[in-house]
Amino acid sequence: MSASFKQKLIRTLIAIGIFIVLALIYSYPALQGKELSQHDTVSWRSMSWEAREYWEATGENPLWSNSQFGGLPTYTMHMGDWPRPLYRIQTFIETILPSPAYFLFFAMIGFFILLSTLKINRWVAIIGAIAYAFASYNLQIIAAGHATKMLSIGFMPIALAGMIAVYRGKYITGSIMTLAGFGFLLQNGMYQIDYYLIIIMGILGVTFFVKAIQSKTLKQFFIGTGILLVCGFMALSLSLVTLKMIKDYGKLTMRGGQSELTINKDAKDKDKKDGGLDKDYAFQWSQGIGETFTLFVPNLYGGGGQLDLGENSNTYEAVAKLAGP
């Protein structure tokens, strides 16, 4: 083991130790046996209860539930012992660190890997990783129970780090990171973040292509692109069954445009065969341009519906006046 590699290993272990300690300190109530009340997690437990009970009793996965709406496939809610090899690594770490500590740990280690690949100073990379994980938006979605989204946010930087490493000629290291990052993303099934990653990778790929033209290294660029495509297909293959089922199911939902359960459809939507949601509905929960700054300033546009504003708050007084005596 060379002295340089040994030094890098020690610094990396120190960074991991710092991330674990910070995640546990922030999640200290979990160490006392307390559990974070997350609305979406509670809803998922309720929706998947029937499927989970049946699987635990028989070891078989029921593919249909009559307890949701007019009936619903269970593979959107729970599939016990599903063949997801990378997911087992994730769940192993989740058994070591309590929730929500492991969300923060994954995000910190993921962004640290990205900044290290960009050759950022080790201590600056640690600070950047902490800032990335503890961004106010991330803490809000953890509180809401958006588990798969937060995990995907943590894994996304690893895939980007792999892409950068591949284009820099580190084919083995880059391939491993790309396959791991993209594979973890797909197996968590938060396709919104997957789309964001693909967009970022597309922009980054164009940048590397222009740089390759300028430096006359197109051969290396095309080799790297081929390796990344292979890694992408390998990651897809790990989740191919799930992706196929979700794709087929999506066609029969309001997003797919073929659902027969939608009432009061407008005349303009009755012949809508290509699917997709109306813009107003699709952006109902999206942040506006100004509201994006809540990523850095909590409650810049107001707090949640359960936030205690306090009796001395101007907002509280204004609402009280509107309500009358």
Side-chain angles (χ1 to χ4, degrees):
M1 183 183 295
S2 65
S4 176
F5 178 80
K6 186 177 181 180
Q7 188 177 25
K8 289 181 179 179
L9 179 61
I10 293 174
R11 289 177 179 176
T12 301
L13 292 175
I14 290 173
I16 293 174
I18 291 173
F19 297 153
I20 292 175
V21 170
L22 284 175
L24 290 175
I25 290 175
Y26 188 83
S27 308
Y28 179 70
L31 300 179
Q32 298 176 311
K34 298 179 180 179
E35 185 175 349
L36 184 64
S37 178
Q38 300 166 294
H39 174 269
D40 280 23
T41 301
V42 173
S43 298
W44 169 78
R45 286 175 179 171
S46 299
M47 289 189 295
S48 63
W49 180 85
E50 184 182 38
R52 288 187 291 112
E53 286 287 309
Y54 187 85
W55 180 76
E56 290 173 3
T58 66
E60 298 179 0
N61 288 308
L63 299 179
W64 188 263
S65 171
N66 290 320
S67 64
Q68 296 293 318
F69 303 105
L72 198 69
T74 58
Y75 51 76
T76 61
M77 300 176 289
H78 176 266
M79 290 293 285
D81 200 25
W82 196 242
R84 295 180 291 180
L86 290 178
Y87 195 74
R88 296 181 186 276
I89 300 174
Q90 175 183 313
T91 53
F92 173 73
I93 296 176
E94 291 174 2
T95 59
I96 298 175
L97 296 174
S99 175
Y102 60 77
F103 292 115
L104 299 170
F105 174 75
F106 281 130
M108 283 187 283
I109 197 67
F111 204 72
F112 177 76
I113 290 173
L114 174 59
L115 294 183
S116 298
T117 302
L118 292 172
K119 299 180 180 180
I120 303 297
N121 176 273
R122 189 72 54 171
W123 294 108
V124 176
I126 291 174
I127 295 172
I130 295 170
Y132 178 76
F134 285 88
S136 63
Y137 177 77
N138 293 340
L139 302 181
Q140 289 167 8
I141 63 175
I142 289 174
H146 298 177
T148 55
K149 176 182 281 190
M150 186 59 212
L151 288 167
S152 297
I153 288 174
F155 295 132
M156 182 169 60
I158 301 177
L160 290 173
M163 180 181 185
I164 294 170
V166 166
Y167 277 132
R168 287 180 173 175
K170 297 181 179 179
Y171 299 134
I172 297 177
T173 304
S175 298
I176 294 173
M177 289 192 293
T178 303
L179 179 58
F182 204 44
F184 277 121
L185 274 169
L186 290 173
Q187 291 196 21
N188 275 284
M190 177 47 66
Y191 303 116
Q192 175 190 5
I193 305 300
D194 298 343
Y195 281 120
Y196 294 159
L197 174 62
I198 291 171
I199 291 171
I200 295 172
M201 281 184 158
I203 296 172
L204 193 59
V206 171
T207 303
F208 274 107
F209 178 65
V210 173
K211 185 177 179 181
I213 293 175
Q214 294 174 340
S215 60
K216 298 181 180 180
T217 56
L218 283 173
K219 181 180 178 180
Q220 180 177 330
F221 171 82
F222 287 121
I223 292 174
T225 301
I227 292 174
L228 291 173
L229 289 174
V230 171
C231 290
F233 283 120
M234 289 177 66
L236 282 171
S237 68
L238 296 174
S239 302
L240 193 59
V241 175
T242 305
L243 291 169
K244 180 63 169 61
M245 290 191 299
I246 296 297
K247 182 177 182 296
D248 292 341
Y249 171 69
K251 295 176 181 178
L252 303 176
T253 67
M254 60 188 297
R255 289 169 173 78
Q258 298 179 22
S259 174
E260 299 295 336
L261 300 178
T262 303
I263 61 174
N264 299 326
K265 294 185 71 173
D266 295 334
K268 62 182 178 64
D269 294 331
K270 288 182 178 179
D271 297 325
K272 194 174 184 181
K273 298 179 180 179
D274 295 333
L277 301 173
D278 293 334
K279 184 177 179 181
D280 292 340
Y281 182 92
F283 286 88
Q284 185 175 359
W285 298 102
S286 297
Q287 293 177 312
I289 296 175
E291 194 177 356
T292 305
F293 288 100
T294 57
L295 291 170
F296 308 102
V297 184
N299 302 327
L300 181 65
Y301 272 64
Q306 298 178 346
L307 182 66
D308 183 8
L309 297 175
E311 294 184 1
N312 296 323
S313 169
N314 293 331
T315 306
Y316 178 86
E317 293 174 1
V319 172
K321 290 180 180 179
L322 289 174

